[in-house]
Amino acid sequence: LSNQATVTVSLTDINEQPLVANQSFSLPENSANGIMVGTIVATDPDAGQALTYNIISGNTGNAFAISATTGVLTVANTTALNYEVTPSLALVVKVQDNGTGTLSSQATVTVSLTDVNEQPLVANQSFSVPENSVIGTLVGTVVATDPDAGQALTYSILSGNTDNAFAI
């Protein structure tokens, strides 16, 4: 003997963690505050979940800010974006959902800085030399620096050199 019946099994939805992969962006050093670096891409397998984004580590000098609701990464501190000091920053970003028993995932977002030629630095300087000094007498050495490594500096006198009294 046998009999048949319909058995219904109902699945209850459980919250699954959001998905976010490691991502990379590139940005010129010294970029202005507010410049958009990129958007962190994340998804959630559960329909209708709202995601929240947060930088949890690696944000040296508070260089970047992230929109908690959109994942848009922007420059927050231009002075922290110095290629010669730190050519790349590895941010750990946390993405959290709003499901029951909130879940989160983390990814590393690498921002690589590109080098920008920066102007050399020279301050006003003063030297003394006795009058009627012979040609070739050392008056002084003009000191200048360049924030970019490996730069060769050249010097020239632009004005004030009456009768070409000085050479540099």
Side-chain angles (χ1 to χ4, degrees), residues 28-89:
E29 71 174 322
N30 308 323
S31 290
N33 291 344
I35 294 290
M36 181 177 154
V37 178
T39 301
I40 309 305
V41 176
T43 59
D44 195 300
D46 300 306
Q49 292 285 323
L51 299 177
T52 304
Y53 301 82
N54 188 24
I55 301 171
I56 59 173
S57 69
N59 196 10
T60 304
N62 293 316
F64 303 104
I66 193 166
S67 168
T69 57
T70 65
V72 172
L73 188 66
T74 57
V75 173
N77 180 6
T78 186
T79 61
L81 303 180
N82 187 336
Y83 175 85
E84 288 77 25
V85 175
T86 309
S88 70
L89 293 98

Side-chain angles (χ1 to χ4, degrees), residues 27-146:
L27 181 73
E29 71 174 322
N30 308 323
S31 290
N33 291 344
I35 294 290
M36 181 177 154
V37 178
T39 301
I40 309 305
V41 176
T43 59
D44 195 300
D46 300 306
Q49 292 285 323
L51 299 177
T52 304
Y53 301 82
N54 188 24
I55 301 171
I56 59 173
S57 69
N59 196 10
T60 304
N62 293 316
F64 303 104
I66 193 166
S67 168
T69 57
T70 65
V72 172
L73 188 66
T74 57
V75 173
N77 180 6
T78 186
T79 61
L81 303 180
N82 187 336
Y83 175 85
E84 288 77 25
V85 175
T86 309
S88 70
L89 293 98
L91 310 173
V92 177
V93 173
K94 177 180 174 182
V95 180
Q96 182 173 314
D97 68 18
N98 66 339
T100 302
T102 58
L103 295 174
S104 64
S105 292
Q106 297 177 4
T108 300
V109 175
T110 303
V111 180
S112 298
L113 300 178
T114 56
D115 195 14
V116 173
N117 189 18
E118 297 157 295
Q119 75 182 50
L121 306 170
V122 62
N124 294 337
Q125 299 167 47
S126 297
F127 304 104
S128 296
V129 63
E131 67 177 329
N132 301 320
S133 293
V134 297
I135 293 175
T137 299
L138 177 65
V139 175
T141 301
V142 176
V143 176
T145 60
D146 195 306

Side-chain angles (χ1 to χ4, degrees), residues 3-28:
N3 199 354
Q4 292 182 350
T6 301
V7 176
T8 304
V9 177
S10 299
L11 297 176
T12 55
D13 190 24
I14 61 167
N15 190 23
E16 297 163 287
Q17 74 185 61
L19 305 171
V20 60
N22 294 341
Q23 297 167 48
S24 297
F25 300 102
S26 182
L27 181 73

